[in-house]
Amino acid sequence: MANFSAIFALLLAGCSIQSANSQCALDAPLVQEIKNYEARVRRIVDTVLSGSFKGKLFNDTAEFVDTVGSRVVGSQGLDKGIDYMLNWMSQQGFDDVHGEEIITPNWIRVNESLEMIEPRYQKLSILGYGRSVSTSGPLTAEIIVVRDYTELEQRADEVRGKIVVYDHTFVTYSYSTLYRNSGAIEAAKRGAVAVLVAAVSNAAMDLPHTGGMAYSSDETIPKIPMASISVDSARMLGRMHRRGNPIRLRLYMENVHPGNTVSRNTFGQLTGSVFPDEKVIISGHIDSWDVGQGAQDDGGAVVMAALVISLLKHLELTPRRSIQAVGWTSEENGLVGIQRYIDQHLDEINAGQIAAAFESDSGLFVPLGYDFAGTDLGACIVQEILKLFDAYNFTRFERGTRVGSDISYLSDRNVPTFNFVTDNEKYFWYHHAESDTMSAMDTDELDQCLAVYAASVYVIADLSQNLISRADTSDPNAANLTTSAVIFPIVSLLVTFMKYALYT
């Protein structure tokens, strides 16, 4: 089962991305139309990098997260954050500002602690994982430290009655979250009483990182408490354990599972001048975990989406299609908000009225380009549009069958989807941790993000040609679909199998 899970994670992490389309042959008038956006792109970018919107994304994000703080589902912080964004968009004169209620499960952290009591005393940092059960009072037990599931299986007869510590090495987020997602299941099968996991981070800081975890639907496998410890603590325990030191920890976790609660997706719009019923969605998720300020994950993206509309209104640039800024709720609880949205808007989606969907949910650092899912003709159009951004080094293009986190569900519905890609090597220094504050954000990098994001969204929303056009072998603008046709059903099946395992 451990190896099976690893294979699934690797497939999900890698096989959905394809090479850029090298067979593009767009009609000359369309190529010229795209080239004609150069002056407007430059005007949008200059307004952010050196004009009246310089520093605005940093300042507005800071005001948002400083005012409302962290925004875990079921908290006053999230409700306050939703009201804040709705009021802000209304004050900016956005069209059709509203929230849409959804029902979502929630989980509340109450109190927790971790202490090493043998061979010496040390208080260790800890963050329980979302949905973890509590301990029945303080739990004291010896530990066993393993590097991976292979070692866990090899030492299965040593596990019973102990706390399993996964001292894993960060590889990629998709791969390394296996220990967070299914670590409790694998340890419980072998008789463990609790689980501690090295933070899913590429930095050895004294910071645990929280996130969602899962239990087995097999009721014969016990639900045991599970929490994150810092990479630094996991390495220390690993070194001591491998030297043969008996180590005993005292773990206390008190959590509450209150059941379902009501939350809201948020919406605000710039109505299009020619095709008002066709919408280009720009989005992030408005909820966060209950640590830090949720600045990088994902408050900055929600504010950035709203500022795109504010910027275009300021410049009196109304695109042909409507642009809708969306804050998805309950992303951290299992991508609940987007799934409820699809239920509520299925007719609109099936009618092709969502012309494109953009998402930023992997940090706001130096912008690089887009991961794209859509038709071959759409891919060709996007690559041509990115040529407008050569001067800003915003040219990366990779093709996928599913991209993003929330919007991947729109990929499944044949909506052209864009995942905003940045140079986010440091993202997992902050992700789901107390360090996710405004100190993790750089004002110049945020300006670059807003500038290229706003300009590229505007071109997509204003272009005479949409991205949902035909893509068959008789279309001279379309490329070979064999890879997509084969991979898409496989990936969809894998994602269904692990839909709660890889959300961020």
Side-chain angles (χ1 to χ4, degrees):
M1 180 63 181
N3 291 335
F4 188 59
S5 298
I7 290 169
F8 270 106
L10 288 170
L11 283 168
L12 285 168
C15 75
S16 65
I17 297 296
Q18 305 167 15
S19 299
N21 194 332
S22 60
Q23 302 182 43
C24 292
L26 295 176
D27 292 337
L30 180 56
V31 172
Q32 184 59 51
E33 182 187 356
I34 292 170
K35 187 175 178 59
N36 289 342
Y37 281 97
E38 285 181 349
R40 277 169 284 178
V41 164
R42 189 164 53 250
R43 183 181 174 210
I44 292 169
V45 170
D46 288 349
T47 302
V48 180
L49 297 185
S50 57
S52 58
F53 270 65
K54 183 174 177 58
K56 193 162 178 55
L57 179 52
F58 183 94
N59 293 334
D60 286 8
T61 301
E63 184 171 354
F64 173 53
V65 301
D66 289 346
T67 300
V68 305
S70 63
R71 302 171 301 282
V72 71
V73 169
S75 69
Q76 291 184 354
L78 178 56
D79 289 340
K80 189 174 181 180
I82 289 169
D83 289 339
Y84 181 103
M85 287 307 303
L86 292 174
N87 290 336
W88 187 92
M89 290 188 291
S90 294
Q91 291 168 6
Q92 293 287 312
F94 288 17
D95 303 324
D96 195 24
V97 175
H98 67 284
E100 293 181 1
E101 290 188 351
I102 64 118
I103 305 298
T104 176
N106 65 330
W107 171 92
I108 299 172
R109 184 192 322 275
V110 179
N111 195 13
E112 55 195 16
S113 63
L114 179 66
E115 302 161 286
M116 179 167 62
I117 56 176
E118 291 180 17
R120 59 179 176 79
Y121 181 84
Q122 181 177 341
K123 188 173 178 62
L124 303 174
S125 301
I126 182 179
L127 275 178
Y129 286 126
R131 293 195 297 274
S132 175
V133 297
S134 304
T135 58
S136 298
L139 169 64
T140 302
E142 189 175 341
I143 69 169
I144 177 171
V145 182
V146 297
R147 292 185 175 90
D148 51 33
Y149 284 150
T150 300
E151 186 177 359
L152 178 70
E153 179 58 29
Q154 292 170 345
R155 302 177 63 190
D157 57 355
E158 303 174 50
V159 172
R160 184 162 300 279
K162 295 179 181 177
I163 298 172
V164 169
V165 178
Y166 292 106
D167 178 23
H168 65 92
T169 300
F170 183 90
V171 180
T172 65
Y173 183 67
S174 297
Y175 180 84
S176 297
T177 48
L178 278 173
Y179 300 101
R180 189 188 83 195
N181 297 326
S182 57
I185 298 171
E186 298 303 322
K189 286 179 183 178
R190 295 158 177 85
V193 294
V195 173
L196 301 172
V197 182
V200 181
S201 173
N202 55 353
M205 298 178 177
D206 188 23
L207 280 173
H209 293 231
T210 190
M213 52 91 61
Y215 290 116
S216 175
S217 58
D218 183 349
E219 295 184 359
T220 65
I221 300 175
K223 295 179 179 179
I224 59 177
M226 184 176 180
S228 170
I229 58 175
S230 70
V231 172
D232 197 48
S233 292
R235 289 179 179 174
M236 178 190 71
L237 294 174
R239 292 192 303 271
M240 295 172 68
H241 181 73
R242 286 185 280 275
R243 286 197 295 260
N245 299 122
I247 304 168
R248 291 175 67 81
L249 302 181
R250 181 162 55 226
L251 172 67
Y252 178 72
M253 293 175 63
E254 182 183 356
N255 308 311
V256 176
H257 298 73
N260 289 335
T261 189
V262 176
S263 189
R264 289 166 287 166
N265 291 320
T266 64
F267 303 86
Q269 182 169 297
L270 173 60
T271 302
S273 60
V274 179
F275 309 114
D277 293 334
E278 290 188 23
K279 296 176 183 176
V280 172
I281 288 174
I282 48 177
S283 67
H285 64 86
I286 197 165
D287 66 308
S288 71
W289 284 105
D290 56 341
V291 291
Q293 293 180 296
Q296 286 283 11
D297 187 25
D298 195 27
V302 172
V303 174
M304 182 170 71
L307 279 177
V308 168
I309 294 179
S310 181
L311 172 60
L312 295 179
K313 286 173 63 67
H314 170 75
L315 295 174
E316 298 183 345
L317 291 172
T318 302
R320 290 180 171 91
R321 295 171 192 83
S322 298
I323 297 176
Q324 187 177 59
V326 180
W328 308 114
T329 195
S330 199
E331 188 268 356
E332 302 291 7
N333 272 31
L335 303 163
V336 180
I338 179 62
Q339 294 180 74
R340 301 293 182 267
Y341 169 86
I342 288 174
D343 292 340
Q344 295 163 349
H345 294 265
L346 190 57
D347 290 344
E348 184 180 358
I349 295 168
N350 289 341
Q353 292 180 323
I354 309 300
F358 289 74
E359 179 180 36
S360 174
D361 188 18
S362 55
L364 297 179
F365 302 92
V366 174
L368 300 177
Y370 287 111
D371 294 336
F372 173 75
T375 67
D376 287 13
L377 176 59
C380 289
I381 292 172
V382 174
Q383 289 175 81
E384 192 66 31
I385 289 171
L386 286 174
K387 293 177 182 178
L388 297 169
F389 296 88
D390 283 344
Y392 312 108
N393 296 316
F394 185 68
T395 56
R396 165 180 158 152
F397 176 86
E398 290 194 11
R399 183 97 181 272
T401 51
R402 291 181 111 237
V403 300
S405 52
D406 281 301
I407 62 168
S408 64
Y409 285 90
L410 292 172
S411 300
D412 295 343
R413 296 284 177 177
N414 300 317
V415 174
T417 45
F418 293 78
N419 178 48
F420 187 62
V421 179
T422 66
D423 184 9
N424 64 352
E425 182 181 354
K426 295 181 180 179
Y427 181 54
F428 294 105
W429 295 14
Y430 315 113
H431 181 257
H432 296 180
E434 290 286 4
S435 54
D436 186 5
T437 68
M438 286 306 300
S439 296
M441 307 190 94
D442 179 271
T443 186
D444 291 334
E445 292 178 348
L446 293 185
D447 284 345
Q448 294 173 50
C449 287
L450 175 60
V452 296
Y453 192 62
S456 56
V457 167
Y458 169 74
V459 175
I460 294 293
D462 191 63
L463 198 66
S464 62
Q465 169 72 59
N466 67 34
L467 303 178
I468 313 179
S469 296
R470 76 277 175 211
D472 55 45
T473 55
S474 64
D475 179 1
N477 293 322
N480 193 319
L481 296 178
T482 303
T483 304
S484 298
V486 172
I487 289 180
F488 180 77
I490 297 173
V491 173
S492 295
L493 179 62
L494 297 178
V495 170
T496 300
F497 182 85
M498 293 187 71
K499 67 178 181 178
Y500 296 114
L502 296 177
Y503 60 81
T504 61

